[in-house]
Amino acid sequence: MLQDKVALVTGSTSGIGLGIAQALAASGAHVVLNGFGDAQEIEALRAGIEQRYGVQAAYQPADMARAADIEAMMAAMLARFGRIDIVVNNAGIQHVADVDAFPVEKWDAIIAINLSSAFHTTRLALPSMKERNWGRIINVASVHGLVGSAQKSAYVAAKHGVVGLTKAVALELAQTGITCNAICPGWVLTPLVQNQVDALAAQRGISGEEASAALLAQKQPSGQFVTPEQLGALAVFFCGDAASQVRGVAWNMDGGWVAQ
Ligand code: NAD
């Protein structure tokens, strides 16, 4: 379905981004991975995607907090593939603290990585998408782009910002073949959430399993985590013809979190 398309997935060395990159590759797209981690493990992921799906997979180590790194990454992608068709803005970090105790450098990093990076990749990918009048921009926001939670001021602000950016960009492109949409996951058991599970387990003196169940019980009525594979399937849907008139949505996949 996505043969010959070239997709960038930011923050794809782990968790949701990796699930989305694998789903796009399974649909035939060449993928560019990005994110931090052990060099050997990243190379194994990259080579594994090429082998399993018969597509080209590249890796770009850009720090998504830095505009100059993002510019260099997009230029390198264009130099190698000559096109950018799909951008999945997924890189993100979390920090949990009351707003009056929130470390200023954490605020700045969350806004830069979770929000501003999507502005930079979007502005830099659009000229290439416009050449063929086809493109898909998928922003991985969060249920926290739709509702708030205490102790997550920077994250909630950034994710609401991502949903706003999604709508504005979708409207600018409404009469083109380029769509822009957001995905809003509830809890997904990735390293980002494992940190919160571990913190709750330590705080309450309970097991990891009990802490996971307690975390889900607070917010997610299904009592089950969303999976990276399910989010990958949604991203593939957004890339297909059936979704060509899905524009500017913030689509939650959250076990019922925001239905409450
Ligand atoms: P994760 O920690 O498993 O993965 C984050 C990825 O981003 C990793 O590849 C990491 O290396 C990369 N990354 C972090 N900082 C970076 C930087 N400065 N530059 C480049 N890459 C960087 O987390 P995840 O849970 O898979 O989160 C992915 C996205 O999904 C984030 O935007 C997160 O806010 C969002 N999200 C997660 C959940 C959840 O429950 N896990 C829920 C809703 C939304």
Side-chain angles (χ1 to χ4, degrees), residues 11-260:
S12 48
T13 53
S14 165
I16 294 169
L18 181 57
I20 291 177
Q22 286 171 327
L24 293 174
S27 298
H30 304 302
V31 293
V32 176
L33 303 176
N34 157 261
F36 299 148
D38 176 79
Q40 278 183 343
E41 284 174 23
I42 293 172
E43 174 52 23
L45 286 177
R46 190 204 62 75
I49 288 176
E50 285 198 337
Q51 219 165 23
R52 201 166 324 128
Y53 304 114
V55 299
Q56 293 181 54
Y59 167 66
Q60 284 289 330
D63 180 345
M64 298 306 288
R66 297 165 52 91
D69 275 27
I70 299 172
E71 282 167 10
M73 171 176 71
M74 304 303 274
M77 248 186 103
L78 280 171
R80 167 151 178 192
F81 293 100
R83 57 194 287 167
I84 303 173
D85 302 291
I86 299 165
V87 171
V88 182
N89 290 306
N90 167 81
I93 59 168
Q94 174 63 287
H95 186 79
V96 180
D98 285 334
V99 68
D100 49 352
F102 212 89
V104 171
E105 67 279 7
K106 289 284 183 198
W107 173 277
D108 289 343
I110 288 176
I111 298 300
I113 297 166
N114 295 22
L115 173 58
S116 302
S117 69
F119 158 67
H120 293 301
T121 57
T122 298
R123 72 180 171 82
L124 294 164
L126 273 177
S128 178
M129 292 178 178
K130 285 178 177 173
E131 278 173 20
R132 276 167 295 279
N133 192 33
W134 195 94
R136 295 289 187 265
I137 300 166
I138 301 172
N139 295 325
V140 179
S142 165
V143 286
H144 287 117
L146 302 170
V147 296
S149 284
Q151 280 98 42
K152 294 185 177 175
S153 55
Y155 190 86
V156 171
K159 295 298 189 181
H160 274 68
V162 168
V163 170
L165 174 70
T166 301
K167 292 175 183 172
V169 171
L171 290 174
E172 285 181 27
L173 299 168
Q175 296 191 354
T176 73
I178 305 165
T179 70
C180 179
N181 292 293
I183 293 176
C184 298
W187 293 121
V188 186
L189 193 55
T190 65
L192 182 142
V193 165
Q194 189 65 51
N195 290 338
Q196 296 170 63
V197 170
D198 294 346
L200 191 66
Q203 184 196 332
R204 295 195 188 166
I206 55 179
S207 71
E209 219 166 279
E210 288 166 327
S212 289
L215 211 64
L216 288 166
Q218 284 170 15
K219 300 276 188 183
Q220 199 145 303
S222 67
Q224 293 184 41
F225 288 106
V226 179
T227 68
E229 291 74 21
Q230 291 166 338
L231 293 161
L234 181 56
V236 168
F237 167 70
F238 278 152
C239 290
D241 288 342
S244 64
Q245 291 308 320
V246 179
R247 290 169 186 264
V249 305
W251 187 312
N252 45 310
M253 184 183 274
D254 63 0
W257 184 320
V258 303
Q260 298 168 97

